[in-house]
């Protein structure tokens, strides 16, 4: 990093933005296997927030790799940098008074912890989208598990690369047992009880 850059304070504070928006700003970090339902739940919940008048935005793993992170691969180093960048972008959304929903496999606990440490206490909620690899593989909407089994995709989480489940997530959504709509209801109830929305 250059020694010739200086942090410039914003004219509108995070607290002022939260006050105007009438809600907390924070990250909902959806983590889970491919096809577990991360993007589906995140987008359905974003729609719910939008209807309530909350300021929210979804950062989806595939979408971000089309632009900001298109230069990164799927090896361990590439995955780590992918999550680091998303953490920094998410922090900007928090400063802007928004709720940011991130849907990334983010297979390593250490990387998720790095993002948690970027923000203040209460600004990072880990949402474990729980679904077994067997069910995810049956769903396989993008045909990725089939390609991974045929060795057409290397470093595929859950098949040829590890997934480290969260040890103490703030929220667990079991998409094997509950529909997307039921998970949205559960998440709404949890965040309302916590006073986040």
């Amino acid at each position: 990093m250059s020694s010739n850059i200086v942090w410039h304070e914003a004219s509108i504070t995070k607290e002022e933005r939260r006050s105007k928006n009438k809600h907390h700003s924070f990250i909902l970090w959806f983590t889970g296997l491919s096809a577990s339902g991360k993007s589906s739940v995140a987008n359905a919940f974003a729609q719910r927030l939008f209807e309530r008048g909350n300021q929210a935005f979804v950062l989806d793993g595939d979408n971000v790799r089309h632009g900001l992170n298109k230069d990164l691969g799927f090896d361990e180093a590439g995955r780590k940098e992918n999550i680091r960048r998303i953490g920094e972008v998410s922090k900007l959304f928090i400063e802007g008074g928004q709720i940011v929903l991130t849907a990334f496999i983010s297979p390593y606990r250490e990387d998720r912890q790095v993002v948690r440490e970027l923000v203040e206490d209460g600004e990072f909620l880990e949402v474990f989208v729980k679904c077994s690899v067997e069910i995810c593989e049956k769903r396989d909407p993008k045909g990725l598990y089939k390609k991974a089994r045929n060795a057409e995709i290397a470093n595929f989480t859950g098949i040829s690369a590890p997934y480290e489940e969260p040890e103490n997530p703030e929220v667990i959504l079991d998409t094997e047992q509950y529909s997307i709509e039921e998970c949205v209801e559960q998440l709404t109830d949890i965040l309302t009880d916590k006073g986040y929305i």
Side-chain angles (χ1 to χ4, degrees):
M1 180 185 294
S2 171
S3 60
N4 298 318
I5 58 173
V6 178
W7 185 262
H8 188 84
E9 292 299 330
S11 60
I12 305 165
T13 67
K14 174 171 57 179
E15 291 70 24
E16 288 171 324
R17 292 180 188 277
R18 287 173 171 172
S19 178
K20 185 166 187 174
N21 290 340
K22 298 181 176 57
H23 62 76
H24 191 48
S25 60
F26 57 97
I27 304 168
L28 279 174
W29 191 277
F30 293 83
T31 178
L33 294 170
S34 180
S36 62
K38 298 178 301 300
S39 293
S40 297
V41 175
N43 279 284
F45 189 61
Q47 183 67 42
R48 169 71 58 87
L49 292 171
F50 180 78
E51 290 165 359
R52 292 170 51 111
N54 298 129
Q55 301 296 314
F57 193 82
V58 177
L59 294 173
D60 177 82
D62 282 353
N63 293 356
V64 168
R65 281 185 178 269
H66 275 91
L68 177 68
N69 292 346
K70 67 181 178 181
D71 60 321
L72 299 175
F74 287 89
D75 60 351
E76 187 172 345
R79 287 177 184 267
K80 286 181 177 296
E81 178 60 12
N82 184 49
I83 298 307
R84 187 197 70 77
R85 289 183 194 177
I86 295 312
E88 292 289 352
V89 170
S90 297
K91 184 177 178 181
L92 294 174
F93 275 94
I94 291 174
E95 293 297 321
Q98 296 205 33
I99 300 166
V100 58
L101 303 90
T102 68
F104 292 82
I105 294 171
S106 49
Y108 304 113
R109 291 186 193 111
E110 178 184 358
D111 297 341
R112 298 189 300 262
Q113 184 62 29
V114 164
V115 178
R116 185 184 293 272
E117 291 171 3
L118 280 176
V119 297
E120 296 178 15
D121 286 346
E123 292 181 347
F124 181 96
L125 284 81
E126 190 172 37
V127 180
F128 177 35
V129 182
K130 183 179 178 183
C131 189
S132 68
V133 69
E134 293 79 16
I135 296 299
C136 291
E137 193 165 0
K138 282 182 185 174
R139 293 175 180 169
D140 202 13
K142 302 172 191 172
L144 299 177
Y145 283 93
K146 184 177 180 182
K147 288 181 179 178
R149 291 286 185 197
N150 291 332
E152 295 172 45
I153 300 176
N155 301 312
F156 190 79
T157 304
I159 303 297
S160 53
Y163 177 74
E164 299 172 357
E165 290 187 4
E167 294 178 324
N168 295 296
E170 282 77 9
V171 180
I172 299 174
L173 300 176
D174 188 335
T175 58
E176 277 190 52
Q177 303 297 321
Y178 299 100
S179 69
I180 299 301
E181 294 74 23
E182 289 170 324
C183 289
V184 166
E185 290 300 329
Q186 292 170 22
L187 198 47
T188 302
D189 291 345
I190 290 166
L191 293 179
T192 301
D193 289 347
K194 289 178 176 285
Y196 279 70
I197 57 173

